[in-house]
Amino acid sequence: DFIVFGQPGMNELLHSLQPLSTSIRRVLPLPLTSAVAEYATFLGASGHRPSLIYMNPPRKAAMFRTDLALAWRLLKCEGTLAGGGYHLPVVGQYVDSLCQALGVELITKVIHAPGSKFETALNYSEATLLLNKKSNISIW
């Protein structure tokens, strides 16, 4: 199962889904608001834990930290929490701090020219992101 918090762009969604595309049975989109994220926690308490949660970058940063923590608690054991917008200060900062607190591996990438024949995935750095400002996305 797969839960999307927010409204992801198609390219980010496809990159997150590629490794798991054969095992996903359901996709449940949820708006990225803490009120809805708390409802999603109810899903986890009733035994519905997704193996992948994708979090789109927030439009407003105020509740992202709460939503991130709730998404982690909802995630199935050995599941994947992923998202876009790692280059945004609030996203990178909160994702880094959650991973450090939990002692989990963080993988970050810059996708250059997503969806085109020139698409490449590079390890994240500010320099890599700035190689071509108009056609790069950052994922975690």
Side-chain angles (χ1 to χ4, degrees):
D1 293 342
F2 175 63
I3 290 184
V4 178
F5 280 83
Q7 304 298 323
M10 188 53 75
N11 290 326
E12 291 117 342
L13 192 55
L14 290 174
H15 284 288
S16 297
L17 288 174
Q18 272 179 340
L20 301 169
S21 60
T22 58
S23 62
I24 295 173
R25 294 174 293 163
R26 289 180 292 251
V27 175
L28 174 64
L30 294 173
L32 184 60
T33 65
S34 289
V36 174
E38 289 173 16
Y39 172 74
T41 304
F42 172 75
L43 292 174
S46 61
H48 302 302
R49 295 190 175 273
S51 56
L52 173 65
I53 296 177
Y54 178 90
M55 297 184 71
N56 201 42
R59 294 185 194 277
K60 295 183 180 177
M63 300 307 287
F64 184 70
R65 176 180 267 175
T66 301
D67 292 332
L68 189 61
L70 289 169
W72 178 259
R73 287 200 313 256
L74 175 61
L75 193 63
K76 181 186 285 188
C77 289
E78 298 186 18
T80 301
L81 182 58
Y86 182 77
H87 66 284
L88 300 170
V90 68
V91 174
Q93 174 188 357
Y94 290 155
V95 169
D96 287 347
S97 114
L98 178 70
C99 290
Q100 286 175 350
L102 297 170
V104 296
E105 179 183 14
L106 173 62
I107 299 170
T108 57
K109 298 285 183 184
V110 171
I111 308 300
H112 173 69
S116 77
K117 67 180 181 177
F118 304 106
E119 180 178 308
T120 54
L122 307 167
N123 289 331
Y124 177 85
S125 74
E126 288 293 322
T128 306
L129 185 67
L130 295 175
L131 288 176
N132 187 340
K133 295 178 186 179
K134 294 183 180 177
S135 65
N136 286 336
I137 60 172
S138 61
I139 58 173
W140 50 275

